Amino acid sequence: MSKKIVIIGAGGVGNVVVKKCAMNPASFSEIVLASRTLSKCDAIAAECAAIGLPTAVKTRQVDADNVPELVALFKEEKPFLVINVALPYQDLTIMDACLEAGVHYLDTANYEPKDVAKFEYSWQWAYQEKFKKAGLMALLGCGFDPGVTGVYTAYANKHYFDEMHYLDIIDCNAGDHGKAFATNFNPEINIREITQKGKYWENGEWIEIEPMSIHKPIDYPNIGPKESYVLYHEELESLTKNFPTLKRARFWMTFGQAYLTHLEVLQNVGMTSIAPIKFKGMDIVPLEFLKAVLPEPGTLGENYSGQTSIGCQIKGMKDGKDATYYVWNNCHHADCYQEVQAQGVSYTTGVPAMIGASLMIDGSWFAPGVFNVEEFNPDPFMELLNIHGLPWDEQHNITLPHEY
């Protein structure tokens, strides 16, 4: 089986995926990094060579919005797998190209249309029969959240519960990058995500709430209590579908007051809008302009201190008794920079993409069709997390900070 991969996207996450794959020649014998901006690819490839990573990185230029360009690249390079860490707007064009070129697919974030601040799996799940008929596999959402959080949930369901009833995914970034205002991944995607209405699953239906309207302090391991806010996050859609015993499923994320104040001002003056406006006779999208003036997330790593903590808190039944389970990872920004010259949010997204790709290549996770990570055996993924830089901890039958 070919162990050649094409990685599309040369941002902060792409940097991590390339370097982690290049560290593992047993899984990845050839790596091609492609992006619209070739210079970004070349810079990452040069860093890989400078630090002596065993698998060489070849670079190519490609427009991920252009299916014929993608198909030509895939047919020329003939990879086993394409790892998509470009923009979520480009998921469908890359999936279309994979189908036409006959290569497998993996991404870290679900599709969302560029002109609507809405993300859901329906567009990609609709490719199920096409991929199955072609004998190809598409693995969706193989980052951390979504990604590892789905694997954590599947692991809990397999080993510790007869029925899971309540799921709370909690995500804390307690790091300090020293900037007045910056986002830890693509600003356009990040701001669209947190300014739309929140949503969570309860008793068989989605409950919609105003943005940031439900919040409370949650105590994170080795960090302490941080104010955490209920958002809608894409893995809730697949997890409630694949684990139908869940009565409630929510996603919580921390935000500092300074971040929220900056965001409120930007919203109030219209800078987070995705509706085009006229400026000097040209159409511009305010959020795209804001992205251009904010710090590039990939540049935040060098002086980033502190750590992230992301995990799943679950309550359910085992052997007729109530049971609780908490599984999480803490990741230090400084350690990530030392290893791959990246901050922790990019690292926690990029490492799982590499792990998912390696499991597809060795056949541990493989079936024709379109899948979310929780649909496969979680055990090999959990083992590789400990090996490749995202070790996890767990606690059983503790009191969780939620009302049931």
Side-chain angles (χ1 to χ4, degrees), residues 173-307:
N173 179 14
D176 181 7
H177 46 56
K179 307 290 185 183
F181 182 79
T183 61
N184 292 289
F185 57 96
N186 184 289
E188 200 176 342
I189 304 303
N190 179 243
I191 291 172
R192 281 165 60 120
E193 179 180 290
I194 65 176
T195 55
Q196 69 174 303
K197 288 190 176 183
K199 193 166 65 171
Y200 63 92
W201 179 259
E202 188 164 33
N203 296 325
E205 62 180 357
W206 292 105
I207 309 298
E208 192 173 85
I209 59 173
E210 290 302 310
M212 309 296 213
S213 59
I214 296 178
H215 57 94
K216 66 180 178 182
I218 294 176
D219 197 358
Y220 294 87
N222 303 318
I223 293 172
K226 293 286 184 180
E227 198 68 16
S228 306
Y229 297 78
V230 172
L231 308 178
Y232 177 65
H233 224 243
E234 62 213 70
E235 65 262 50
L236 296 181
E237 182 183 14
S238 67
L239 289 171
T240 53
K241 171 177 173 279
N242 290 316
F243 299 105
T245 63
L246 285 171
K247 298 177 181 179
R248 187 183 69 207
R250 300 180 294 190
F251 183 95
W252 304 77
M253 183 174 280
T254 61
F255 296 97
Q257 190 54 53
Y259 181 96
L260 294 176
T261 299
H262 277 86
L263 185 62
E264 183 179 7
V265 172
L266 291 168
Q267 284 183 276
N268 287 342
V269 299
M271 285 304 299
T272 63
S273 172
I274 62 173
I277 63 168
K278 286 288 185 185
F279 178 72
K280 293 187 175 180
M282 298 174 56
D283 280 338
I284 69 164
V285 175
L287 183 54
E288 291 180 359
F289 178 81
L290 178 62
K291 173 186 174 182
V293 299
L294 288 177
E296 165 67 40
T299 66
L300 298 176
E302 187 169 6
N303 298 306
Y304 217 137
S305 59
Q307 58 188 303

Side-chain angles (χ1 to χ4, degrees), residues 126-147:
Y127 280 67
Q128 168 69 17
E129 288 306 315
K130 291 180 183 178
F131 269 78
K132 191 173 183 179
K133 185 177 180 180
L136 297 173
M137 176 175 164
L139 184 63
L140 309 181
C142 194
F144 205 108
D145 43 350

Side-chain angles (χ1 to χ4, degrees), residues 314-332:
I314 304 169
K315 183 178 185 297
M317 302 293 293
K318 179 68 174 177
D319 298 328
K321 298 178 181 179
D322 287 341
T324 63
Y325 180 63
Y326 178 25
V327 55
W328 75 93
N329 162 266
N330 274 38
C331 184
H332 290 264

Side-chain angles (χ1 to χ4, degrees), residues 57-225:
V57 178
K58 178 181 178 181
T59 62
R60 296 288 302 270
Q61 192 277 333
V62 73
D63 180 355
D65 291 319
N66 188 313
V67 174
E69 273 193 36
L70 290 164
V71 171
L73 172 67
F74 300 164
K75 286 186 173 180
E76 184 178 339
E77 295 293 347
K78 296 180 172 61
F80 172 79
L81 170 71
V82 170
I83 300 177
N84 169 19
V85 283
L87 294 172
Y89 320 137
Q90 297 163 329
D91 288 359
L92 300 188
T93 56
I94 298 172
M95 291 179 78
D96 286 336
C98 285
L99 280 168
E100 189 171 338
V103 296
H104 307 291
Y105 171 89
L106 178 151
D107 68 29
T108 62
N110 70 2
Y111 173 75
E112 58 180 284
K114 192 171 179 62
D115 56 349
V116 183
K118 177 181 181 180
F119 47 95
E120 60 185 52
Y121 278 117
S122 61
W123 291 285
Q124 291 178 279
W125 284 343
Y127 280 67
Q128 168 69 17
E129 288 306 315
K130 291 180 183 178
F131 269 78
K132 191 173 183 179
K133 185 177 180 180
L136 297 173
M137 176 175 164
L139 184 63
L140 309 181
C142 194
F144 205 108
D145 43 350
V148 174
T149 51
V151 176
Y152 281 170
T153 304
Y155 185 78
N157 185 70
K158 178 178 179 179
H159 294 285
Y160 302 126
F161 291 95
D162 297 322
E163 284 192 4
M164 297 186 298
H165 293 160
Y166 301 94
L167 168 66
D168 286 277
I169 298 169
I170 60 172
D171 181 327
C172 171
N173 179 14
D176 181 7
H177 46 56
K179 307 290 185 183
F181 182 79
T183 61
N184 292 289
F185 57 96
N186 184 289
E188 200 176 342
I189 304 303
N190 179 243
I191 291 172
R192 281 165 60 120
E193 179 180 290
I194 65 176
T195 55
Q196 69 174 303
K197 288 190 176 183
K199 193 166 65 171
Y200 63 92
W201 179 259
E202 188 164 33
N203 296 325
E205 62 180 357
W206 292 105
I207 309 298
E208 192 173 85
I209 59 173
E210 290 302 310
M212 309 296 213
S213 59
I214 296 178
H215 57 94
K216 66 180 178 182
I218 294 176
D219 197 358
Y220 294 87
N222 303 318
I223 293 172

